[in-house]
Amino acid sequence: MSAREGGGLSRRVEISRLVAGVLLILFGDSLAQGPRYVLRGTVADSSTGERIPYATVRVAGTPIGGFTNSEGYFIIPRVPADSREILVSAIGYRMKSFEIAKKAGIVEVTFSIPAEPTTLSPVEVTGRYKGLAKPVAPSTTILYAEDVAKVTGIFSNDLLQAVTQLPGIVTLGGITSQYYVRGGSADQNLVTVDGIRVHNLFHAFGLFSFIDPLIVKVADMNTGGYQAEYGGRLSSILSVETKDGDKNKYALAGNIDLISSDLVLGGPLPLGIGAGKTSFLTFFRTALYENSLNRFFGRSLPFSFFDGFGKITTDFTSSGHASIEFLSTGDEISSDNPGDPNFRWRDAGYSLNASYLFSDQYRFDFSVTTSVYNAEQIPKTTGFTHYELCRITDPAFRGNLAYFAGDETELNFGLLFNFPLYEAEFTNAYGNTMRLSRQEVEPNMWAKYRWPVTRRLKAEVGLRLDISRTFKYASYTGKGYLADPRLTLSYQLTPESSVYFAGGLYHQRIISLTNEDDIYSPFDLIFAIPDTASNLDDESAYHYVIGTQFAPSNLTKAKAEIYYKDFTNLLAVNRDKVDQSDPDFVPGTGKAYGVEATFEYDGGDLYFSANYSHAKVTKTSGGITYEPRYGRSDQLNLSIGWAPILGLWMRARWEYCSGLPYTPLAGYYPQLALDPDNLSGYLKSKASSQIIFGAKNSARMSPYHRLDLSLSYDVHACGVDLTPRVMLVNVYNRMNVFYINNVSGDVEYSLPFIVNFSVSWRI
């Protein structure tokens, strides 16, 4: 044997020993732990058969356990063979014990637990059991239909009322179709309903949304630091999962108030796939009469809207399911004022979703979706407004493969391909009309890995790639970027408390063609950043979040976060474009930082919550640094509910916000009209006053605050559950400023004192 061959053999032996050592480190502990089995399956409602999201599944007497995902599935690898008792619990359900008979290989089960009111929240699960802690999701709030029922406001059936009362989320005073998250603009928020991208949530100029709690199973609101499975937006992700129909019996429910009426019907479908496995759910809502907006806006605004939703779900195995669904919503608003335009917008979506747990440690889920959005501003012949159009057709495919290695270790790979077509038309202040059309291909892939570094320290790293942007960056063929890295760390201080950090890079390819200086915009004109503009990069931002949460009991929890967002590239439409040589878009940067704190107590018949946020937001564009119009510095929300007797609920909410920025009027200067052909007229003419504006958004409106009350009572009569409710909005009739005309001095106010009635019912 030659020296060269001997050296090669020696290196191979060393490599083999190294690999063996690594494998021993990784798997030696598990090999020494004796016989194990894999427990997987679902947790379901024993009455309806619907899967329960974020339920706790743990092995009695051990720290081993896990949580169901948003679709009610779980998998727990390496359960000791001598462990027989499994404990299952969830918010709103009674804890139940199950005994496992088979204790080898893969054990596939469906745990059914009965509903029962409880104060346990999904966040409070963290740290309740030694060694078992739900991975911390920074800046994330999980909302159920029960959480929405606690919200006091204009309507009793609106998820977005609950979302916009969370810390870090700003609205412009109760009448708006937009919300702003931690200094980001409205177009930086992504909303999905079962994977369908929704481009406009609101009805009636933003008074309420089309997401009704009657069809909502769970909603995750992520306001920053979200992991690699989410992308395409800089500020927030609202992911809504809808309910399935009752698999065991037919159910009919609805709600009627002074604005609208809705109806939901669900039940089993005898499709031959198996008893108790297939169900349907349908929902419809519409306006009651066309003048319902008059008392909100103080003038005639004929209005009509509709919402439609349908879903069929089947469980083809105990660990696999599929669903098909559609949603459709639309508004038409006209004005009796001949100078005001009419508005019309439509949202429609379709999806096929499936998820399956296979082998002993894998889950695969995919969805095929299409969404269609069409919004128009239609001017009258006597008005001065222009026609505006936004149309988006957005088919997509999404797939995700998850590998569960045990001990809270999970590896995910995902793909998302969107093929949106964007069309837009608008006219700027100089009368220049822009008509834009662009077909996009948005191929994204991501990977994330979560593992327990130590018993207390958990880590999650992720990487998201926009394949086309990465290819352009790597091949020097156009504008692009390499990837978006993400990192989440959490450390369990005590069984009741933890601290965490999240950070990452985020990109956004779409922008709004509307302007933040617009006093009111009923919908956003959305368009993709054109590749033809060599000087334009995608919008980008860095997120940094540090937080802590403390849950000393099932009744109480507290949470605090500090965040910093660095908007390294922002784009705005050039409203000063005069001729074709002027750019269509103006680049800029921005910064946002703040602190948020929440406290919640829920004792069943008495609950209280408080959240406070302090923020500072600046933008720089065209050489000017300023606070955007939605830059509230302080917000405080207080909510309380009390049931003095069974079924009777009295609720109150008080909100305080610092005033919004606006550009003040600094003064006037005289100007003479010079006509060279009429100098004598020039000498005799009078000077006209021209306006001088102050620094952009350098003044603030008066603070905003209001008190809302509600009273409801649950009754059961003749087989029908009824809940009549009265809502009082802005009880002390605070004159909250919505807009100041800094030319004329006119002031527009937000919502006055309003009374609304509703009756919810269920058969």
Side-chain angles (χ1 to χ4, degrees):
M1 179 183 294
S2 67
R4 184 174 183 178
E5 291 173 339
L9 178 61
S10 176
R11 283 193 297 270
R12 287 195 294 271
V13 171
E14 290 176 0
I15 292 173
S16 299
R17 289 175 177 173
L18 178 61
V19 172
V22 172
L23 292 175
L24 184 61
I25 292 172
L26 293 176
F27 302 108
D29 184 59
S30 63
L31 293 173
Q33 290 176 342
R36 301 256 163 172
Y37 68 92
V38 175
L39 184 65
R40 73 179 192 186
T42 61
V43 176
D45 187 305
S46 60
S47 175
T48 67
E50 183 173 22
R51 297 176 304 278
I52 301 172
Y54 307 124
T56 305
V57 181
R58 69 183 182 98
V59 181
T62 76
I64 299 173
F67 299 85
T68 62
N69 65 0
S70 62
E71 297 177 339
Y73 293 118
F74 72 91
I75 183 168
I76 306 175
R78 301 203 301 230
V79 180
D82 58 354
S83 297
R84 303 182 59 180
E85 186 183 8
I86 307 298
L87 301 178
V88 182
S89 62
I91 182 173
Y93 291 85
R94 186 184 311 155
M95 179 180 287
K96 191 173 179 180
S97 172
F98 297 87
E99 186 172 315
I100 302 299
K102 179 184 176 183
K103 295 176 292 181
I106 302 172
V107 179
E108 194 163 333
V109 294
T110 297
F111 295 134
S112 296
I113 57 178
E116 181 179 70
T118 178
T119 59
L120 176 63
S121 79
V123 176
E124 287 167 349
V125 172
T126 300
R128 291 190 68 233
Y129 308 113
K130 183 179 179 181
L132 173 59
K134 183 176 175 61
V136 174
S139 305
T140 298
T141 302
I142 300 174
L143 296 169
Y144 298 84
E146 293 83 357
D147 298 309
V148 181
K150 296 179 180 179
V151 174
T152 302
I154 303 174
F155 303 99
S156 61
N157 57 343
D158 186 25
L159 173 66
L160 264 296
Q161 284 189 104
V163 168
T164 55
Q165 291 177 21
L166 297 175
I169 300 178
V170 172
T171 61
L172 301 185
I175 307 176
T176 177
S177 60
Q178 298 167 330
Y179 62 92
Y180 308 86
V181 179
R182 290 183 173 177
S185 56
D187 63 319
Q188 294 173 5
N189 305 316
L190 174 63
V191 179
T192 64
V193 178
D194 291 334
I196 302 170
R197 291 206 293 196
V198 178
H199 298 282
N200 193 311
L201 294 172
F202 294 91
H203 293 303
F205 294 118
L207 286 177
F208 57 99
S209 75
F210 77 83
I211 304 180
D212 194 295
L214 286 173
I215 62 172
V216 172
K217 177 164 60 177
V218 65
D220 291 6
M221 184 63 187
N222 301 270
T223 57
Y226 34 91
Q227 256 299 335
E229 67 268 33
Y230 297 119
R233 296 296 190 277
L234 297 187
S235 290
S236 75
I237 308 290
L238 175 59
S239 176
V240 179
E241 300 285 340
T242 61
K243 294 179 179 178
D244 300 334
D246 194 315
K247 294 181 173 62
N248 300 317
K249 63 182 183 301
Y250 295 100
L252 185 66
N255 183 85
I256 185 170
D257 56 39
L258 298 182
I259 299 292
S260 65
S261 177
D262 55 42
L263 181 71
V264 61
L265 172 65
L269 277 179
L271 295 181
I273 302 175
K277 292 188 176 182
T278 304
S279 65
F280 76 95
L281 187 73
T282 59
F283 170 81
F284 184 76
R285 178 168 63 169
T286 187
L288 289 179
Y289 60 101
E290 67 173 14
N291 292 320
S292 55
L293 296 186
N294 292 6
R295 62 197 181 105
F296 295 96
F297 296 96
R299 56 195 176 93
S300 179
L301 283 172
F303 161 67
S304 65
F305 81 95
F306 70 90
D307 294 323
F309 174 82
K311 182 179 183 181
I312 296 176
T313 306
T314 183
D315 296 334
F316 52 83
T317 69
S318 62
S319 57
H321 92 288
S323 66
I324 57 173
E325 68 182 73
F326 79 91
L327 61 88
S328 182
T329 178
D331 279 60
E332 289 192 14
I333 299 178
S334 57
S335 173
D336 291 345
N337 187 335
D340 292 339
N342 298 330
F343 298 95
R344 179 190 302 124
W345 57 86
R346 299 282 187 273
D347 250 314
Y350 312 87
S351 74
L352 167 65
N353 295 280
S355 181
Y356 182 59
L357 286 169
F358 63 95
S359 181
D360 59 344
Q361 293 172 295
Y362 297 90
R363 186 187 79 240
F364 178 70
D365 56 83
F366 78 91
S367 63
V368 179
T369 65
T370 297
S371 64
V372 180
Y373 173 60
N374 191 88
E376 295 175 282
Q377 174 180 284
I378 307 169
K380 298 185 177 73
T381 56
T382 56
F384 297 98
T385 57
H386 299 276
Y387 178 77
E388 290 189 353
L389 167 71
C390 180
R391 181 181 293 121
I392 303 172
T393 304
D394 188 11
F397 167 80
R398 182 185 187 276
N400 185 76
L401 177 65
Y403 168 66
F404 302 89
D407 298 332
E408 301 179 63
T409 301
E410 182 179 341
L411 179 63
N412 278 264
F413 296 97
L415 292 170
L416 173 63
F417 286 82
N418 287 85
F419 307 92
L421 171 63
Y422 298 97
E423 299 174 86
E425 179 179 333
F426 74 101
T427 303
N428 68 5
Y430 294 94
N432 294 313
T433 299
M434 298 178 65
R435 296 180 180 88
L436 307 171
S437 178
R438 179 169 177 79
Q439 178 72 61
E440 279 281 295
V441 178
E442 300 176 4
N444 290 272
M445 64 181 297
W446 68 87
K448 68 172 185 176
Y449 180 59
R450 184 176 70 234
W451 80 101
V453 181
T454 67
R455 186 175 65 87
R456 294 179 177 233
L457 178 63
K458 310 294 190 301
E460 189 170 9
V461 295
L463 192 68
R464 186 180 183 91
L465 285 81
D466 184 316
I467 299 173
S468 64
R469 293 302 198 251
T470 301
F471 176 79
K472 290 178 180 179
Y473 177 87
S475 62
Y476 300 96
T477 57
K479 288 288 185 178
Y481 54 91
L482 186 60
D484 287 348
R486 315 280 172 84
L487 173 65
T488 304
L489 298 172
S490 64
Y491 185 80
Q492 201 79 24
L493 295 172
T494 69
E496 297 82 20
S497 62
S498 62
V499 294
Y500 51 81
F501 165 82
L505 175 60
Y506 301 82
H507 281 85
Q508 177 166 326
R509 192 182 296 192
I510 69 160
I511 60 173
S512 173
L513 301 182
T514 49
N515 190 286
E516 68 183 41
D517 293 327
D518 293 338
I519 301 306
Y520 176 75
S521 177
F523 55 82
D524 274 331
L525 295 169
I526 300 171
F527 198 73
I529 298 171
D531 287 336
T532 54
S534 59
N535 63 326
L536 297 182
D537 288 310
D538 289 3
E539 290 192 317
S540 57
Y542 289 92
H543 290 196
Y544 305 97
V545 179
I546 298 175
T548 182
Q549 65 178 17
F550 177 59
S553 72
N554 291 341
L555 306 180
T556 306
K557 65 179 179 181
K559 184 177 180 180
E561 289 188 350
I562 299 172
Y563 68 88
Y564 176 76
K565 291 170 69 173
D566 184 6
F567 297 96
T568 52
N569 187 54
L570 296 172
L571 292 174
V573 65
N574 184 6
R575 288 301 184 95
D576 297 325
K577 182 181 176 71
V578 177
D579 55 46
Q580 295 302 317
S581 63
D582 293 329
D584 293 329
F585 303 97
V586 179
T589 59
K591 297 186 185 299
Y593 55 89
V595 58
E596 300 170 1
T598 63
F599 172 83
E600 295 182 21
Y601 169 83
D602 191 343
D605 56 2
L606 174 66
Y607 69 84
F608 171 78
S609 68
N611 66 68
Y612 169 77
S613 61
H614 173 76
K616 177 69 174 179
V617 184
T618 59
K619 282 189 174 183
T620 301
S621 181
I624 301 174
T625 298
Y626 62 95
E627 284 193 80
R629 186 169 177 263
Y630 48 83
R632 288 198 191 277
S633 59
D634 295 279
Q635 289 191 109
L636 175 65
N637 268 288
L638 303 176
S639 296
I640 188 170
W642 179 44
I645 61 174
L646 184 64
L648 177 65
W649 275 101
M650 298 184 292
R651 295 184 170 95
R653 169 181 171 257
W654 186 70
E655 177 184 13
Y656 173 88
C657 307
S658 59
L660 293 167
Y662 75 100
T663 301
L665 179 63
Y668 301 88
Y669 68 90
Q671 184 181 47
L672 293 174
L674 177 59
D675 183 359
D677 296 329
N678 186 15
L679 292 179
S680 60
Y682 167 72
L683 295 174
K684 298 177 181 178
S685 63
K686 294 182 179 180
S688 60
S689 297
Q690 299 298 312
I691 298 172
I692 303 175
F693 291 105
K696 184 177 178 64
N697 289 348
S698 58
R700 284 190 176 270
M701 303 178 189
S702 58
Y704 176 100
H705 55 87
R706 83 182 203 207
L707 173 67
D708 299 340
L709 303 175
S710 73
L711 181 68
S712 65
Y713 186 60
D714 301 327
V715 296
H716 181 81
C718 302
V720 180
D721 295 322
L722 294 173
T723 304
R725 181 181 291 104
V726 58
M727 286 84 63
L728 307 177
V729 178
N730 195 6
V731 173
Y732 49 80
N733 200 23
R734 162 73 176 180
M735 301 292 287
N736 289 303
V737 177
F738 176 66
Y739 161 62
I740 298 176
N741 188 320
N742 53 9
V743 176
S744 65
D746 294 337
V747 179
E748 294 287 340
Y749 294 99
S750 186
L751 295 173
F753 171 66
I754 294 171
V755 180
N756 196 18
F757 299 93
S758 73
V759 177
S760 300
W761 54 273
R762 179 179 294 273
I763 300 176

